[in-house]
């Protein structure tokens, strides 16, 4: 029987490392092969392949109706992203079966992923999964099946204006205990941008004013919120990804965070485009107030997959510095000036010192890198080509220059 002669039956995907699933992007081609090893010649029927991808959610909730009666309500939904079928080995048209000789047989396959797919995900009440399944039909025997999962990562580029915009907020809270007013606590926080990638450090700029008569403790944390939707109902699960604790702030004092670092650990990217599953992130700055509830300030985050381009995070700040320190660039004429007199070309020692290019220390960090060379190119423009025709004819009352001198 084929069952006794079948040594190996598996699916191999290109790009997959040993022990880990292959990763693909939406729109990419998935290339692989089905491997079949036989110890002896055997009769085989059809070999069919199917690729599937779907998001599924499911959870149950207990409902009470009266004092003693209770029932359970189930919620579930599914969204299919991928469905591909292929026949790798078809039976002959005459109704006979195919005889495969002993040894290794490989059946290649390829299929294209759709342009829009959700990132693979495993959650408490749902998942987004992709897999390839092969079925080997055999005469007078059960169907042999093999399954191979793969990962899809939807690219999220944080180099977009919406994700590069700074995020800021402020909140205040009146601390009360037993109807006594103990003062007010306020917090304001700001981060450079909305989009980050795992491994990056978020610098937190914050001010915490403690106007109460007790010490308070500031904290910051990255929160992941998983939202599952089915039949018009929602189920959420929140978890702390990472957190930091600041120093205690005495009564009547103020604490300032000058870019307090909070590193993002390895986490999955945000899922924002799936109808039934969403994964969102936020930065929460909170203040623990003794005797009352916490003061919470939440700033939205998006965890992406494409990291920040070089100098991307400094685009707005550097541009503002150019407008302040490099205003003289706007005075450069579009047309080159006429050749100067010989006496003007040979400067005095004082003029030589004034015409020397500025050192980088004087101009600051703005002129570091290739931009410094870009400015120098304008400062030392080559002289215009010689011509018998003056490109800048003198106006009335000015002595014309002798072009033959």
């Amino acid at each position: 029987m084929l069952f006794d002669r079948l040594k190996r039956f598996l699916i191999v995907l290109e790009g997959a490392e040993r022990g880990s699933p292959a990763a693909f992007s939406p729109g990419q081609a998935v290339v692989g092969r089905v491997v079949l090893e036989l110890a002896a010649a055997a009769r085989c029927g059809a070999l069919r392949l199917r690729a599937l991808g779907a998001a599924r959610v499911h959870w149950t909730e207990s409902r009470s109706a009266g004092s003693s009666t209770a029932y359970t309500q189930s919620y579930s939904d599914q969204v299919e992203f991928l469905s591909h079928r292929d026949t790798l080995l078809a039976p002959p048209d005459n109704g006979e079966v195919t005889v495969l000789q002993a040894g290794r047989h490989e059946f290649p396959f390829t299929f294209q992923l759709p342009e829009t797919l959700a990132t693979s995900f495993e959650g408490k009440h749902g998942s987004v999964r992709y897999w390839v399944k092969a079925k080997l039909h055999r005469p007078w025997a059960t169907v042999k099946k093999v399954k191979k999962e793969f990962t899809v990562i939807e690219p999220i580029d944080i180099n977009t204006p919406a994700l590069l915009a700074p995020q800021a907020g402020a909140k205040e809270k009146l601390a009360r205990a037993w109807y006594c007013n103990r003062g007010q606590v306020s917090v304001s926080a700001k981060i450079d941008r909305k989009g980050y990638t795992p491994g990056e450090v978020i610098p937190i700029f914050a001010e915490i004013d403690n106007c109460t008569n007790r010490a308070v403790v500031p904290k910051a944390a990255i929160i992941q919120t998983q939202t599952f939707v089915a039949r018009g109902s929602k189920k959420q699960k929140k978890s702390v990804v990472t957190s930091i604790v600041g120093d205690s702030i005495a009564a009547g004092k103020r604490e300032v965070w000058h870019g307090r670092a909070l590193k993002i650990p390895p986490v999955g990217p945000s899922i924002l485009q799936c109808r039934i599953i969403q994964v969102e992130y936020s930065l929460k700055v909170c203040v623990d107030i003794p005797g009352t509830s916490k003061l919470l300030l939440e700033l939205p985050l998006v965890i992406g997959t494409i990291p920040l381009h070089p100098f991307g995070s400094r685009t707005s700040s550097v541009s503002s510095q150019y407008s302040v320190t490099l205003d003289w660039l706007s005075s450069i004429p579009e047309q080159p000036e006429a050749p100067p007199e010989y006496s003007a070309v040979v400067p005095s020692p004082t003029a030589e010192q004034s015409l020397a290019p500025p050192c980088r220390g004087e101009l600051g960090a703005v002129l570091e890198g290739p931009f410094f060379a870009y400015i120098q190119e304008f400062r030392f423009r080559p002289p215009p080509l010689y011509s018998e025709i003056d490109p800048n004819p003198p106006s009335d009352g000015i002595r014309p220059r002798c072009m033959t001198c």
Side-chain angles (χ1 to χ4, degrees):
M1 296 178 61
L2 178 62
F3 179 78
D4 300 327
R5 300 172 183 178
L6 184 60
K7 295 174 57 178
R8 297 182 66 190
F9 185 41
L10 71 158
I11 298 175
V12 179
L13 297 177
E14 291 188 5
E17 299 180 0
R18 180 173 298 180
S20 62
F24 300 91
S25 299
Q28 189 176 355
V30 178
V31 181
R33 61 189 184 275
V34 177
V35 179
L36 180 65
E37 286 191 11
L38 298 175
R43 302 194 314 172
C44 302
L47 176 60
R48 293 186 172 89
L49 181 84
R50 188 179 183 187
L52 294 172
R56 295 188 177 97
V57 298
H58 176 77
W59 75 89
T60 58
E61 295 181 1
S62 297
R63 304 287 185 180
S64 61
S67 58
S68 58
T69 306
Y71 66 97
T72 301
Q73 182 72 42
S74 297
Y75 298 88
S76 61
D77 202 350
Q78 175 177 327
V79 175
E80 188 177 85
F81 298 121
L82 170 66
S83 181
H84 171 79
R85 297 176 184 268
D86 196 4
T87 301
L88 305 182
L89 177 63
D93 296 336
N94 54 12
E96 298 181 358
V97 295
T98 303
V99 178
L100 298 179
Q101 300 301 320
R104 181 185 177 95
H105 302 270
E106 294 187 357
F107 303 90
F109 63 85
T110 180
F111 58 89
Q112 195 81 16
L113 293 176
E115 294 292 337
T116 303
L117 291 176
T119 299
S120 299
F121 169 76
E122 293 291 334
K124 183 176 181 180
H125 304 293
S127 62
V128 180
R129 297 174 182 172
Y130 301 89
W131 66 92
V132 181
K133 182 183 295 185
K135 292 183 179 181
L136 179 61
H137 298 265
R138 306 171 293 171
W140 306 103
T142 59
V143 178
K144 191 68 174 178
K145 302 177 182 179
V146 65
K147 181 179 178 181
K148 179 72 172 181
E149 295 186 0
F150 62 93
T151 302
V152 171
I153 300 178
E154 180 188 10
I156 300 179
D157 190 357
I158 67 172
N159 299 277
T160 59
L163 300 185
L164 291 177
Q167 304 296 307
K171 270 193 175 182
E172 58 185 23
K173 183 180 181 65
L174 191 62
R176 293 178 178 272
W178 296 101
Y179 304 101
C180 296
N181 185 0
R182 291 183 173 176
Q184 182 173 274
V185 178
S186 62
V187 58
S188 61
K190 177 183 178 182
I191 55 178
D192 293 337
R193 46 191 161 94
K194 184 178 181 180
Y196 289 87
T197 53
E200 283 192 283
V201 173
I202 303 178
I204 305 173
F205 301 87
E207 290 187 3
I208 304 98
D209 286 322
N210 180 19
C211 298
T212 67
N213 55 7
R214 290 189 177 185
V216 299
V217 179
K219 300 178 181 179
I222 297 177
I223 307 298
Q224 182 195 69
T225 303
Q226 302 175 8
T227 304
F228 308 92
V229 182
R231 297 170 53 186
S233 299
K234 290 185 178 181
K235 189 75 171 181
Q236 284 191 337
K237 180 182 180 299
K238 296 187 177 184
S239 59
V240 178
V241 175
T242 185
S243 62
I244 56 174
V245 180
D247 299 329
S248 178
I249 305 175
K253 298 295 183 180
R254 168 185 289 186
E255 176 75 12
V256 179
W257 286 0
H258 299 282
R260 190 71 179 267
L262 181 60
K263 187 174 182 180
I264 305 175
V267 293
S270 301
I271 300 178
L272 306 175
Q273 305 300 327
C274 183
R275 180 175 61 85
I276 61 176
I277 295 179
Q278 290 189 350
V279 178
E280 300 170 298
Y281 294 89
S282 62
L283 173 67
K284 286 192 176 181
V285 180
C286 68
V287 182
D288 283 342
I289 307 173
T292 185
S293 59
K294 299 179 181 179
L295 172 59
L296 296 176
L297 173 62
E298 185 173 358
L299 301 178
L301 289 176
V302 172
I303 302 300
T305 60
I306 301 177
L308 192 68
H309 294 165
F311 309 108
S313 61
R314 297 167 49 194
T315 301
S316 58
S317 60
V318 172
S319 299
S320 62
Q321 293 182 46
Y322 290 162
S323 62
V324 175
T325 61
L326 302 179
D327 290 339
W328 57 274
L329 283 176
S330 60
S331 62
I332 297 177
E334 296 183 0
Q335 297 295 332
E337 298 179 357
E341 296 289 347
Y342 178 77
S343 58
V345 179
V346 183
S348 62
T350 305
E352 284 187 14
Q353 184 177 2
S354 62
L355 291 178
C359 63
R360 301 193 180 193
E362 296 177 356
L363 294 178
V366 178
L367 301 184
E368 291 291 338
F371 197 81
F372 185 77
Y374 180 74
I375 296 174
Q376 295 296 83
E377 178 184 354
F378 277 90
R379 291 184 58 86
F380 302 106
R381 299 183 67 174
L385 297 176
Y386 176 78
S387 176
E388 294 292 340
I389 302 175
D390 190 356
N392 298 279
S395 59
D396 297 338
I398 301 178
R399 180 178 63 85
R401 294 172 180 168
C402 180
M403 303 299 294
T404 60
C405 295

